[in-house]
Amino acid sequence: MNTKLVKTIREAIALAGLKDGMTISFHHHLRNGDYVLNLVMDEIAAMGIRNLTVNASALFDTHAPFLDHIKNHVVRKVQTNYISAGIGRQISAGLMDEPVEFRTHGGRPRDIALGITPIDVAFIAAPCSDRMGNCTGKYGRSACGSLGYAFPDAMYAKKVIVITDELAEYPLTGWSIPEIYVDYVVQIDAIGDPAGIVSGTTRMTRNPVALVMAQTAARVIQNSGLLRDGFSFQTGGGGATLATAMYLKQIMLREQIYGSYAQGGITGYLVDMLNEGCFRALMDVQCFDLKAAASIRDNPNHCEVGAAQYASAGAKSSIMDSLDVAVLGATEIDTDFNVNVHTDSSGRIMGGSGGHSDAAAGSKLSIITAPLFRGRLPIVRDRVTCISTPGKDIDVLVTQAGIAVNPRREELRERLTQAGMQVLEITQLRALAEQITGTPAPLPPAGRVIAKVIGRDGTLLDTIGERKGEE
């Protein structure tokens, strides 16, 4: 019987010809429930392979053992779109000799396709696969939904290894990634815990301040002139941005507005909007909860899309190019509307752009929802600690004390003012915050560069410096 099945991860690694200095890749659809990255890295270390570049679409706290592989020189370089705070703190303290390269969710497939970040061996965690490598995230006990971020890895890597915990009869129908891209298949006991795809940034908030901001953001959309039949929408992770979808649904149902699509990381709230007729389709690169994972399996109007179709600036077109409104979060925003989602206020890595700057650049209206202050630190600063998304791509800041509109969007400012919304200058919002928090002391100078922030078109947006021993 023709098969690509091999018995162990180690055998697949050996057959793929992985050697010192090569590049391997992983995707993050199982998020904090992923087991595959740690299993593969432990096997590679045991085989004595060193000095690898790891191109992982995201790294979460569950991947903390990865830090040991950096210390032991199994990993030399990291390319990613997001790093959680637990791993980010150690990298910020100077763990790596080479700077991390941060890309966006659209920039990563662009650079893979262009050969800027070539991949030697891609490891794809697939909840269901057949013996020839037709695989999907829609079925199996570890079902996570869309596998969109793994599409470029499968298409362009020199060797592709599918790792699954559920083997289907050949041919698996309804595949996400077809066998034509796959070299080897390994069946293991468990690739992860699908409950881990839900995190604190993908749960609905009950915070009254966040709910006020969400209501305000929905009103901005309502009064922008964009909320009409055919409307398209994306919301990011974070309580206030997710709650905006809830209030937007109420407006759309009340006014009988029928949108074309919602996109991005899909939550159960967007699934509800699809089912209630607010949108004709969901364009899903990543499921943010198990309700979304079930929907993409059962509803043909819930469509799986790859990372390039989602957001690549190098593609002939992407769904981001047709997007009306994006509602996004921020760690900091400055008076030039530049946004930071990479570091905390002390300059330590605790996130990454993901699709943030892709959505801001592609949408007709980008809205940032953020409170005036967090932990007695103002969110509006003279200059952000790190530029993740350039201010030219941000249109509106929504806080609990009012909104600010980018001076580039004077017509939008007039629309919102005429609708009776409280529109302030962004410097006024900064002053309101500092009346409560005081003016924050400037950060001490950073050390050597430990990370580069690369824009969706390949330009260098900013660098992140070492923060050794600071609290």
Side-chain angles (χ1 to χ4, degrees):
M1 179 176 65
N2 194 17
T3 182
K4 297 174 184 175
L5 272 175
V6 297
K7 292 181 180 179
T8 64
I9 292 174
R10 176 176 287 215
E11 182 182 357
I13 293 168
L15 289 169
L18 185 65
K19 294 181 173 57
D20 291 1
M22 286 186 171
T23 297
I24 61 176
S25 75
F26 301 91
H27 65 94
H28 71 283
H29 290 285
L30 283 162
R31 296 171 64 84
N32 241 340
D34 174 57
Y35 298 165
V36 168
L37 185 146
N38 290 338
L39 289 171
V40 170
M41 292 307 307
D42 287 348
E43 205 63 67
I44 288 171
M47 294 171 72
I49 300 170
R50 298 290 184 268
N51 297 318
L52 297 177
T53 295
V54 174
N55 187 335
S57 55
L59 293 169
F60 289 89
D61 285 349
T62 193
H63 300 131
F66 184 74
L67 294 166
D68 291 331
H69 298 302
I70 295 173
K71 295 172 185 175
N72 295 332
H73 305 291
V74 175
V75 176
R76 175 179 58 86
K77 186 174 182 178
V78 171
Q79 299 164 334
T80 190
N81 309 343
Y82 176 95
I83 295 178
S84 67
I87 295 175
R89 278 193 296 271
Q90 294 206 40
I91 291 176
S92 292
L95 181 66
M96 302 193 69
D97 294 331
E98 291 200 35
V100 170
E101 292 180 358
F102 278 106
R103 287 177 171 80
T104 72
H105 283 334
R108 182 177 185 268
R110 170 192 177 272
D111 286 359
I112 291 172
L114 291 175
I116 295 169
T117 53
I119 298 168
D120 293 297
V121 184
F123 295 90
I124 295 176
C128 189
S129 176
D130 64 27
R131 57 184 168 80
M132 300 306 291
N134 297 298
C135 61
T136 184
K138 299 174 187 176
Y139 306 107
R141 62 182 181 275
S142 302
C144 59
S146 177
L147 292 183
Y149 290 129
F151 284 19
D153 306 54
M155 293 172 67
Y156 294 102
K158 294 173 185 172
K159 297 290 183 181
V160 175
I161 299 171
V162 167
I163 300 175
T164 187
D165 54 12
E166 183 153 327
L167 203 63
E169 291 292 327
Y170 180 86
L172 170 69
T173 57
W175 60 78
S176 303
I177 295 169
E179 62 187 294
I180 59 172
Y181 299 121
V182 178
D183 295 281
Y184 306 104
V185 178
V186 184
Q187 183 179 16
I188 63 175
D189 291 337
I191 63 168
D193 177 4
I197 71 174
V198 181
S199 73
T201 62
T202 59
R203 291 192 178 99
M204 179 66 74
T205 183
R206 295 182 180 178
N207 183 309
V209 171
L211 292 174
V212 167
M213 293 190 297
Q215 287 178 305
T216 304
R219 285 188 62 209
V220 170
I221 297 168
Q222 182 181 20
N223 295 311
S224 68
L226 294 169
L227 189 59
R228 59 192 184 278
D229 286 353
F231 169 74
S232 56
F233 177 67
Q234 173 168 334
T235 182
T241 56
L242 294 176
T244 300
M246 176 180 68
Y247 292 115
L248 183 64
K249 180 178 79 169
Q250 295 172 5
I251 295 169
M252 293 180 73
L253 291 175
R254 183 174 66 245
E255 299 188 6
Q256 295 186 320
I257 293 169
Y258 303 101
S260 56
Y261 68 95
Q263 70 166 42
I266 300 297
T267 65
Y269 308 108
L270 292 177
V271 170
D272 290 341
M273 294 178 81
L274 173 69
N275 293 336
E276 293 179 47
C278 295
F279 294 106
R280 184 165 51 84
L282 297 182
M283 308 292 273
D284 191 343
V285 71
Q286 178 186 22
C287 294
F288 269 176
D289 57 36
L290 297 182
K291 186 172 184 177
S295 173
I296 199 172
R297 179 191 65 223
D298 298 331
N299 190 335
N301 292 324
H302 188 158
C303 308
E304 184 175 26
V305 297
Q309 185 180 0
Y310 168 53
S312 174
K316 293 179 180 179
S317 70
S318 71
I319 55 176
M320 201 69 81
D321 300 327
S322 299
L323 185 63
D324 286 320
V325 176
V327 181
L328 307 164
T331 304
E332 301 171 325
I333 185 169
D334 66 27
T335 52
D336 291 322
F337 285 81
N338 299 305
V339 172
N340 174 22
V341 290
H342 277 84
T343 74
D344 60 19
S345 56
S346 66
R348 292 186 180 86
I349 294 168
M350 47 69 68
S353 182
H356 193 287
S357 57
D358 297 312
S363 61
K364 296 181 182 69
L365 172 61
S366 60
I367 300 170
I368 299 296
T369 59
L372 277 181
F373 53 89
R374 292 191 188 98
R376 298 198 62 80
L377 288 173
I379 296 305
V380 182
R381 315 295 290 269
D382 286 329
R383 190 201 185 278
V384 289
T385 308
C386 172
I387 296 176
S388 306
T389 297
K392 67 181 178 60
D393 295 328
I394 301 299
D395 298 312
V396 180
L397 168 64
V398 172
T399 74
Q400 74 270 38
I403 63 177
V405 178
N406 193 318
R408 293 169 175 261
R409 300 297 310 274
E410 186 58 37
E411 180 186 355
L412 176 63
R413 180 189 178 97
E414 290 177 7
R415 275 182 174 272
L416 300 180
T417 301
Q418 289 172 5
M421 301 197 72
Q422 185 178 10
V423 181
L424 304 174
E425 299 298 329
I426 196 167
T427 50
Q428 292 178 283
L429 291 174
R430 181 196 61 194
L432 285 172
E434 290 182 355
Q435 286 175 12
I436 299 169
T437 66
T439 302
L443 279 178
R448 65 182 179 89
V449 172
I450 53 91
K452 298 177 181 180
V453 178
I454 299 169
R456 66 193 304 257
D457 61 355
T459 58
L460 180 67
L461 293 178
D462 210 341
T463 59
I464 300 171
E466 183 179 76
R467 296 287 174 183
K468 191 182 292 291
E470 295 176 21
E471 294 297 336

